[in-house]
């Protein structure tokens, strides 16, 4: 969604570059009222222009920001990546990348950058839309930790979880499901029919009847059934879905 928004703004700003006199007012409105920090950077890395959002993001006044280079707002360990980032932007219409920036206070934070290289009257510039990625990174980390905690809990309890997409008939298993059924975790092409084949022949009709009734009534269902693992071992399991 963010990339689509920045691409839309890029098109608007690009139009302004081509018809500056006619669209100057629209350009300035887009630039100053954007929800993202926008920097115009020279090929030597000097910051030539910045919108109001950029001053808020980095904690500098506009005058201070325009006295800096892109290296000044990069976290030291990420400064060596600048040349490579610029080269990749030049080679592509719009380049998206992640890096680490630094505020006036010295605080470092992750950013998402959508950048493009433009030429105006023979001079090249980098036009970058920058978003603080701290919240996104935090959510991703929390999801990762939650996923790892679920895996550990399922392993300790010998409980697996699965998801059945009834439109595609695709079935997705948690890691512990592969352990329960004795299948290697890289097994591909799982579907509901394959799952049924693991159910003991004497239990299949009953399990299918319970499943279909639950689907018809749109309700939770549970049952106990015997499964026959890939290695031929028979086990009793409780299922709820």
């Amino acid at each position: 969604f963010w990339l689509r928004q920045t691409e839309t703004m890029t098109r608007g700003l690009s139009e302004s570059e081509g018809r500056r006199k006619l669209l100057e007012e629209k350009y300035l409105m887009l630039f100053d009222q954007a929800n993202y920090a926008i920097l115009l950077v020279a090929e030597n890395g000097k910051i030539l222009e910045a919108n109001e959002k950029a001053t808020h993001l980095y904690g500098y006044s506009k005058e201070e920001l325009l006295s800096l280079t892109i290296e000044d707002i990069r976290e030291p360990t990420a400064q060596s990546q600048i040349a490579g980032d610029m080269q990749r932007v030049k080679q592509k219409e719009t380049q998206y990348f992640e890096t680490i920036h630094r505020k006036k206070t010295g605080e470092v934070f992750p950013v998402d950058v959508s950048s493009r290289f433009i030429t105006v009257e023979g001079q090249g510039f980098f036009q970058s839309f920058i978003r603080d990625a701290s919240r996104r990174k935090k959510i991703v980390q929390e999801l990762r930790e939650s996923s790892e905690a679920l895996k550990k809990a399922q392993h300790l309890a010998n409980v697996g979880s699965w998801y059945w997409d009834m439109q595609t008939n695709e079935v997705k298993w948690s890691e512990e499901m592969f352990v329960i059924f004795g299948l290697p975790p890289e097994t591909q092409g799982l579907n509901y029919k394959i799952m049924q084949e693991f159910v003991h022949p004497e239990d299949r009709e009953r399990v299918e009847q319970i499943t279909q009734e639950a689907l018809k009534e749109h309700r939770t269902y549970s049952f106990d059934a015997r499964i026959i693992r890939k290695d031929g071992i028979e086990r009793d399991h409780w299922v709820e879905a």
Side-chain angles (χ1 to χ4, degrees):
F1 176 70
W2 179 70
L3 286 174
R4 288 199 300 272
Q5 283 188 314
T6 58
E7 286 171 1
T8 299
M9 289 207 43
T10 295
R11 285 195 294 271
L13 292 171
S14 182
E15 287 178 359
S16 299
E17 294 154 12
R19 297 182 290 165
R20 288 193 300 275
K21 291 182 180 180
L22 294 176
L23 298 175
E24 183 175 355
E25 186 176 337
K26 179 181 178 182
Y27 176 88
L28 291 174
M29 181 185 70
L30 282 169
F31 191 80
D32 289 328
Q33 297 183 9
N35 290 324
Y36 316 109
I38 302 177
L39 296 179
L40 190 66
V41 180
E43 289 188 77
N44 64 4
K46 187 169 189 323
I47 299 173
L48 302 176
E49 190 55 82
N51 68 347
E52 186 176 349
K53 192 73 174 181
T55 64
H56 294 319
L57 181 62
Y58 295 103
Y60 290 101
S61 67
K62 186 168 183 177
E63 292 71 24
E64 288 174 324
L65 206 49
L66 299 188
S67 70
L68 303 177
T69 68
I70 197 69
E71 185 173 299
D72 294 320
I73 61 172
R74 276 278 182 112
E75 195 271 335
T77 61
Q79 290 174 354
S80 61
Q81 302 168 4
I82 293 175
D85 289 338
M86 285 183 165
Q87 187 59 36
R88 282 186 288 274
V89 172
K90 282 185 175 182
Q91 294 172 351
K92 194 173 181 181
E93 184 176 347
T94 300
Q95 178 74 16
Y96 168 80
F97 60 93
E98 299 177 11
T99 187
I100 304 174
H101 278 187
R102 180 174 52 182
K103 299 184 180 183
K104 182 179 180 178
T105 60
E107 176 189 350
V108 297
F109 61 105
V111 292
D112 295 319
V113 182
S114 178
S115 185
R116 63 191 288 261
F117 184 71
I118 58 176
T119 302
V120 179
E121 298 179 350
Q123 285 189 293
F125 305 93
F126 295 94
Q127 189 179 64
S128 298
F129 297 83
I130 302 161
R131 178 182 67 171
D132 186 341
S134 301
R135 183 171 179 273
R136 179 181 65 79
K137 291 279 190 179
K138 183 174 183 291
I139 291 173
V140 169
Q141 181 61 29
E142 288 174 349
L143 288 173
R144 184 179 293 114
E145 291 173 355
S146 177
S147 177
E148 287 301 317
L150 177 60
K151 288 179 183 178
K152 290 178 181 178
Q154 288 190 346
H155 177 68
L156 291 172
N158 193 31
V159 172
S161 58
W162 54 278
Y163 172 82
W164 174 25
D165 185 331
M166 295 182 63
Q167 291 186 329
T168 64
N169 201 34
E170 182 184 13
V171 172
K172 295 181 180 179
W173 283 6
S174 68
E175 290 185 5
E176 193 62 20
M177 283 288 286
F178 291 96
V179 176
I180 291 171
F181 284 85
L183 290 174
E186 63 273 12
T187 302
Q188 301 291 320
L190 293 172
N191 56 49
Y192 185 67
K193 183 179 179 181
I194 291 175
M195 283 189 65
Q196 286 177 309
E197 292 174 355
F198 282 101
V199 178
H200 194 287
E202 295 178 4
D203 294 344
R204 284 179 192 167
E205 184 176 348
R206 176 176 60 86
V207 169
E208 183 61 19
Q209 182 179 349
I210 293 172
T211 302
Q212 292 305 320
E213 288 177 355
L215 290 173
K216 184 178 179 180
E217 298 171 13
H218 299 279
R219 61 174 174 81
T220 300
Y221 65 101
S222 58
F223 58 86
D224 60 337
R226 293 168 291 175
I227 67 165
I228 301 177
R229 288 165 41 102
K230 185 70 174 177
D231 54 15
I233 297 175
E234 182 180 314
R235 285 186 174 175
D236 292 321
H237 280 282
W238 175 262
V239 180
E240 184 170 311

